Amino acid sequence: MTTTISRAGPADLDALAALFDAYRQFYGQPGDVARARQWLRERLRFGESVVLLARRDGALAGFAQLYPMFSSVRTAKTWILNDLYVDAGARRQGVARTLLDAAAAFARTDGAAGISLETTLDNTAARALYRAAGWHEDATQWYSLTF
């Protein structure tokens, strides 16, 4: 079974919203497909994110959402791979790796200086995948302030 990648557009919103809602629930958020759809619609409509879709035999199997960022020090555009999710029925079939590679290819083609992502230290499966895909764990420490 082959995994194909495409960039999400308006026609993909309903199917993507259902998968995005499952992603949010995976991280402990209450289910709300309408909210997920509205969030995605606004990001795509205003060009605030790029969503790459993975399909297997025509069915949506996963997605990666990237947000642009700019580095003052490097005076360059970079991308943050903020969201990566694969439907439970499509896991362990190379979909996540295909999405990672597609995200990196997109950033390169866009002329970005790099791409980054963040995950928790206890997410050993994801960390192993990222390293296997050629990503490097940085020595920096992120800090956050929640409002």
Side-chain angles (χ1 to χ4, degrees):
M1 203 178 291
T2 303
T3 301
T4 59
I5 302 293
S6 63
R7 189 167 170 172
D12 300 305
L13 269 177
D14 289 334
L16 177 57
L19 197 60
F20 187 70
D21 189 56
Y23 164 75
R24 292 184 69 249
Q25 289 180 56
F26 180 83
Y27 283 103
Q29 298 300 309
D32 189 338
V33 175
R35 183 177 185 173
R37 188 181 194 288
Q38 182 65 23
W39 174 263
L40 291 165
R41 183 180 164 278
E42 290 175 4
R43 300 297 74 75
L44 296 175
R45 179 178 175 204
F46 297 115
E48 295 173 345
S49 76
V50 169
V51 180
L52 301 176
L53 304 176
R55 288 188 172 84
R56 291 178 65 77
D57 284 344
L60 191 58
F63 71 91
Q65 184 164 212
L66 299 106
Y67 293 93
M69 190 171 87
F70 300 90
S71 171
S72 300
V73 172
R74 295 170 79 181
T75 59
K77 182 179 191 178
T78 64
W79 286 91
I80 298 173
L81 197 169
N82 200 72
D83 310 309
L84 176 67
Y85 185 74
V86 175
D87 183 69
R91 292 185 186 150
R92 312 227 23 103
Q93 297 175 32
V95 176
R97 175 63 187 261
T98 301
L99 282 164
L100 279 175
D101 292 346
F106 167 80
R108 270 189 220 99
T109 300
D110 187 54
I115 185 171
S116 61
L117 62 80
E118 177 185 9
T119 194
T120 57
L121 290 173
D122 65 350
N123 194 346
T124 55
R127 291 175 64 210
L129 170 66
Y130 303 147
R131 286 190 301 269
W135 292 63
H136 305 282
E137 289 184 343
D138 294 335
T140 59
Q141 176 62 52
W142 286 83
Y143 295 85
S144 63
L145 182 61
T146 304
F147 300 107

